[in-house]
Amino acid sequence: MLELSILGFLAEEPLHGYELKERIKALTGHVRPVSDGALYPAITRLVGAGLLDQHTEPGASAAPRRILALTDRGREELLERLRRPKQTEITDHVRFNTVLAFLRHLPDRHEQAAVLRRRLAFLETPTSFFYDSGKPVRAEDSDDLFRQGMLRVARATGEAERAWLRETVALLDQPS
């Protein structure tokens, strides 16, 4: 998820490390904060793999800034990761939002729709936070007021996301 965020944001424009960190933080929020101890080693790996280029520019004060930019190989890697997201990037809501944030960079509408279909298929599988004898518990079946709330909110959110996914897939499937 971190590497996908780095590649995605740098596909939009070159950035220095602090700007990149702030954008990633805004995308993932407090749910999955990004630390310097995770970000800078990831950047180093991506530079070493030839996916990012870096150069220094004078900073606003005396310290120079390290500017990061996506290479052609980096753009290809981004597109490949968007075409074939890992299963956890489909099933985990925060990770899927990261894919969704950059899916517009994938130029083929049918490939975009295929990613959304995978998410939709996942969301259409009956599930719950709670189970009774192996069956998902619905909000109406719970005696716990707080669990009812969790289940009602999850159902409403899931219904809204499934509706959006269906609408968007239909739009992407239309001839351009």
Side-chain angles (χ1 to χ4, degrees), residues 15-73:
L15 297 167
H16 66 78
Y18 179 78
E19 289 173 317
L20 181 60
K21 180 180 177 181
E22 290 302 304
R23 290 185 189 194
I24 293 170
K25 192 165 57 170
L27 179 62
T28 60
H30 65 280
V31 178
R32 303 231 170 99
V34 60
S35 68
D36 290 348
L39 178 63
Y40 291 102
I43 289 170
T44 301
R45 281 192 307 275
L46 295 171
V47 168
L51 305 178
L52 302 182
D53 181 45
Q54 64 180 344
H55 64 277
T56 56
E57 290 181 359
S61 61
R65 299 185 324 168
R66 183 169 71 161
I67 302 297
L68 301 161
L70 201 60
T71 64
D72 290 340
R73 273 184 68 196

Side-chain angles (χ1 to χ4, degrees), residues 3-164:
E3 288 184 358
L4 179 61
S5 296
I6 293 168
L7 296 171
F9 281 121
L10 293 177
E12 296 170 358
E13 66 180 309
L15 297 167
H16 66 78
Y18 179 78
E19 289 173 317
L20 181 60
K21 180 180 177 181
E22 290 302 304
R23 290 185 189 194
I24 293 170
K25 192 165 57 170
L27 179 62
T28 60
H30 65 280
V31 178
R32 303 231 170 99
V34 60
S35 68
D36 290 348
L39 178 63
Y40 291 102
I43 289 170
T44 301
R45 281 192 307 275
L46 295 171
V47 168
L51 305 178
L52 302 182
D53 181 45
Q54 64 180 344
H55 64 277
T56 56
E57 290 181 359
S61 61
R65 299 185 324 168
R66 183 169 71 161
I67 302 297
L68 301 161
L70 201 60
T71 64
D72 290 340
R73 273 184 68 196
R75 185 166 305 282
E76 285 306 312
E77 178 68 17
L78 171 65
L79 296 178
E80 187 57 29
R81 288 179 185 214
L82 292 171
R83 278 185 196 102
R84 292 171 188 71
K86 296 173 186 170
Q87 187 61 15
T88 57
E89 293 171 333
I90 295 296
T91 60
D92 180 281
H93 182 73
V94 174
R95 290 175 190 243
F96 182 70
N97 277 346
T98 301
V99 171
L100 205 54
F102 304 112
L103 198 56
R104 68 185 178 87
H105 293 295
L106 197 55
D108 186 310
R109 296 166 55 102
H110 299 292
E111 290 178 332
Q112 293 170 336
V115 172
L116 299 184
R117 279 190 189 90
R118 284 182 59 198
R119 176 70 175 175
L120 183 58
F122 165 72
L123 291 176
E124 288 177 336
T125 303
T127 189
S128 178
F129 295 112
F130 311 105
Y131 291 83
D132 184 15
S133 301
K135 294 177 69 176
V137 173
R138 298 176 328 133
E140 297 78 15
D141 300 331
S142 177
D143 294 333
D144 184 316
L145 180 65
F146 305 104
R147 286 186 175 191
Q148 284 177 7
M150 285 178 64
L151 294 166
R152 287 177 57 196
V153 168
R155 180 173 50 209
T157 302
E159 287 171 358
E161 186 176 356
R162 286 188 300 274
W164 178 82

